[in-house]
Amino acid sequence: MHCLTVTYCRGMFLATFRGSLASLMRLKLEMQRLKRMTVVSWALRIQYGLQRMGPSFNNYLSRSYSSHSQQEKVDMSRFPVENIRNFSIIAHIDHGKSTLADRLLEMTGAIDKSHSNKQVLDKLQVERERGITVKAQTASLFYSHEGKTYLLNLIDTPGHVDFSYEVSRSLSACQGVVLVVDANEGIQAQTVANFFLAFEAQLTIIPIINKIDLKNADPDRVEKQIERIFDIPKEECIRVSAKLGTNVEQVLQTIVEKIPPPRADSADHLKALVFDSTFDHYRGVIAFVALFGGHVGKGDKVMSAHTLKTYEVNDVGILRPDELATDKLYAGQVGYLIAGMKAVKEAQIGDTLHLQEQPVKPLPGFKPAKPMVFAGMYPVDQSEYNNLRSAVEKLTLNDSSVTVHRDSSPALGAGWRLGFLGLLHMEVFNQRLEQEYNAAVILTVPTVPYKVILSSPKLIKEYGTEEITILNPTQFPDKSHVVEYLEPVVLGTVITPGDYIGRIMSLCQDRRAEQKSMVYIDDDRVMLKYLFPLNEIVVDFYDSLKSLSSGYASFDYEDAGYEPADLVKMDFLLNGCKVEELTTIVHRQKAHFIGKVICERLKDSIPRQLFEIAVQAAIGSKIIARENIKAYRKNVLAKCYGGDITRKMKLLKRQAEGKKKMRKIGNVEVPKDVFINVLKRQKDR
């Protein structure tokens, strides 16, 4: 009987596949009848038997049975607070955080085991292309240990210094961290920075030595480094190979045994901290929340402590790592919440959500990110301004460390002055705008924020204070109106093998750095601390450091305030016309050298025209460097095989007059990639 039924259904499916509309309708009615009889397994067998019948028919099947392919909702009430563990994975860049996260997901059944599981939590296209994590991602794992089922909420964090704000936000939703250290490279600069972030937050730290399967791995040396720098006994270190899955089970056991459960109570009023959010074109804002009290479910009326607006919850759930809807979320758990927020300004990172009839004291939230680099952003076409504004608002919702100020330029029109945590952060933001929102933009030369103490009563009255912050170099006041210029400085940490100390010290001195300390962390590696002017490291210091040390040195920095400096504003002119987007602020000692180098790079970067272009660097009215971009010219003497020289001179003179006329009326278009390329130092300069 079963065989007859399957044969009958297969015949019906085959008729459908051959294109008969009537057969398709009969098939749909038959499948609905099967669905009412709850014979879902039959349909799955039929689908398997007809895989060879073409992708179009398989697509039809998948649409018809999409409801059955979804997993059943998980009852989150069976995870009391004492069975919940919230933790982050932190490490230096490329030490294996995402690979370890993949193995944890596999071992707990969140994803199927497959050789294609590489950086599962790195969902952005820019992360796949660059091979780095730029956005913290959350996943909920179910793990059985000693007869109990635990809910492990994992947050995979970025490793680059430009995304340290993602790490600090993620730690606020955790009670412990897994600190991953490469068994080959050992402790790096960002390892130290991330450790102290977790240490200051008083989180439980589990040290993991990864990549023990590598040929040059030396876990004994790394254990000694961890014990010496972090004062963690080497017996607590777990040696793993995330790639092969070696000892990863021990990591899960240690997380359950050592990391404490969150301090929360389901009996309290609802307190939900929004620690991240993203925007969906159809569902609006998706808020990622950590519950510090109470519970929330579909249909609840919640209120924002920041905007005081009330919303009805449309959906809640957890990430495994894809969204999985649940009936409710309870205290101590981490998940997502959709409540019909359509405007990006309604979901503020660090906001507290509570039930409408049960107001609570807002949670502390997050310390605002302090931008280190500022750049102007303008649409290529001013008609795209509104579309670009919408794209920037949605992307800053997902990346709250970017600051936005409205700006305008005589040449580029209306735009924004954006603040970033570093140059890589700026490049990734620009790339995400292009990939996710199809937005074409022009980015100006990146600069750092300077402070100025004014002496002019007129300017003091205009700004309302003696000390002002300059974000746009074009607004840099003249020395005659200023008592003192102040530039931002950072305390930089460089960890390098001893063989490269001499080269790195020369590089730091060349960048006007002041050495603070030098400590040997083991027999081979040295930790150097320098006080750097931020302007000297923000563009290409990291690239130069990697080149000089064959990729072995690492770098991290933290804000160290402002110090007095002798600064000047340098303008660049093309055929006598000032290009405000290239205006930059430099130290007076380096002004001539930097002006000459940038003029040479502009000469190489700007396309040749039919007329000659004069590229000049100027401080005030004084020209300090000049380069000429030769014009394209036709050989007007090609047809002159002989004859008098006056004939040739007449043709050349006529051509020169035409070039002179074109130079007066011609416009020079600066390609958008020039603004960043001209500032990057080249090896031969």
Side-chain angles (χ1 to χ4, degrees), residues 60 142 165 170-171 182 280 310 332 442 459 503 522 534 542 588 623 661 669 673:
Y60 173 76
F142 303 141
Y165 188 63
S170 301
L171 296 184
D182 192 317
D280 185 273
T310 303
I442 296 174
L459 288 177
R503 301 181 199 174
D522 61 19
L534 180 59
Y542 191 76
R588 188 180 296 275
I623 304 297
K661 182 179 180 181
E669 183 176 345
D673 57 343

Side-chain angles (χ1 to χ4, degrees), residues 587-601:
H587 196 272
R588 188 180 296 275
Q589 291 180 354
K590 293 191 169 186
H592 286 77
F593 172 76
I594 292 175
K596 184 175 184 298
V597 169
I598 293 182
C599 283
E600 291 174 356
R601 292 184 196 158

Side-chain angles (χ1 to χ4, degrees), residues 273-552:
L273 174 68
V274 180
F275 66 90
D276 202 358
S277 57
T278 186
F279 189 85
D280 185 273
H281 291 286
Y282 302 102
R283 297 181 293 173
V285 175
I286 302 174
F288 300 106
V289 295
L291 270 66
F292 287 85
H295 53 81
V296 62
K298 186 175 180 179
D300 288 346
K301 299 279 188 179
V302 297
M303 179 179 284
S304 163
H306 177 74
T307 63
L308 300 180
K309 289 186 177 181
T310 303
Y311 308 93
E312 182 176 346
V313 177
N314 299 326
D315 191 17
V316 295
I318 58 175
L319 300 167
R320 282 191 49 78
D322 297 323
E323 292 178 8
L324 177 63
T326 63
D327 290 326
K328 289 186 177 183
L329 288 177
Y330 295 86
Q333 297 174 2
V334 175
Y336 71 90
L337 182 146
I338 302 173
M341 301 179 186
K342 296 301 181 184
V344 293
K345 295 180 180 179
E346 295 180 33
Q348 296 291 328
I349 302 296
D351 193 6
T352 301
L353 301 179
H354 58 84
L355 293 178
Q356 182 181 6
E357 65 276 7
Q358 296 175 349
V360 297
K361 182 180 178 181
L363 295 164
F366 304 111
K367 183 180 178 182
K370 185 173 183 180
M372 294 290 192
V373 182
F374 287 86
M377 178 177 285
Y378 303 90
V380 174
D381 186 349
Q382 279 295 308
S383 63
E384 294 293 320
Y385 176 83
N386 289 331
N387 293 336
L388 182 58
R389 180 181 63 186
S390 175
V392 169
E393 287 177 351
K394 292 173 183 176
L395 193 52
T396 50
L397 171 70
N398 191 236
D399 188 355
S400 60
S401 56
V402 178
T403 60
V404 183
H405 304 278
R406 293 191 63 179
D407 198 6
S408 62
S409 162
L412 299 177
W416 301 269
R417 198 80 186 165
L418 302 182
F420 304 95
L421 300 183
L423 195 67
L424 177 64
H425 187 202
M426 182 180 78
E427 292 177 357
V428 166
F429 187 88
N430 184 29
Q431 193 172 341
R432 289 186 67 185
L433 270 180
E434 293 179 357
Q435 292 175 348
E436 298 175 26
Y437 298 95
N438 198 26
V441 300
I442 296 174
L443 275 175
T444 64
V445 171
T447 61
V448 300
Y450 294 94
K451 287 188 176 180
V452 174
I453 300 176
L454 300 172
S455 61
S456 167
K458 183 179 178 181
L459 288 177
I460 293 174
K461 184 178 180 180
E462 180 182 341
Y463 288 104
T465 179
E466 289 186 1
E467 185 176 286
I468 61 172
T469 302
I470 303 297
L471 304 181
N472 192 335
T474 59
Q475 300 171 353
F476 199 70
D478 187 75
K479 181 68 176 175
S480 59
H481 304 304
V482 172
V483 175
E484 192 175 42
Y485 294 121
L486 302 172
E487 67 176 347
V489 293
V490 294
L491 183 61
T493 302
V494 180
I495 296 181
T496 176
D499 297 341
Y500 305 105
I501 292 179
R503 301 181 199 174
I504 291 174
M505 283 185 169
S506 299
L507 173 67
C508 295
Q509 290 171 4
D510 185 49
R511 302 299 177 96
R512 300 191 288 121
E514 178 185 344
Q515 185 174 346
K516 292 297 183 182
S517 67
M518 183 174 75
V519 178
Y520 277 84
I521 61 176
D522 61 19
D523 296 337
D524 184 51
R525 303 185 74 81
V526 184
M527 182 165 64
L528 303 168
K529 286 192 178 292
Y530 277 90
L531 199 64
F532 288 95
L534 180 59
N535 190 39
E536 295 286 343
I537 67 167
V538 77
V539 176
D540 66 341
F541 178 80
Y542 191 76
D543 296 339
S544 301
L545 181 69
K546 286 293 184 182
S547 299
L548 289 177
S549 63
S550 303
Y552 287 109

Side-chain angles (χ1 to χ4, degrees), residues 50-64:
L50 294 173
Q51 283 179 349
R52 298 180 183 178
M53 296 182 63
S56 59
F57 187 69
N58 285 332
N59 289 341
Y60 173 76
L61 279 176
S62 63
R63 287 195 301 270
S64 300

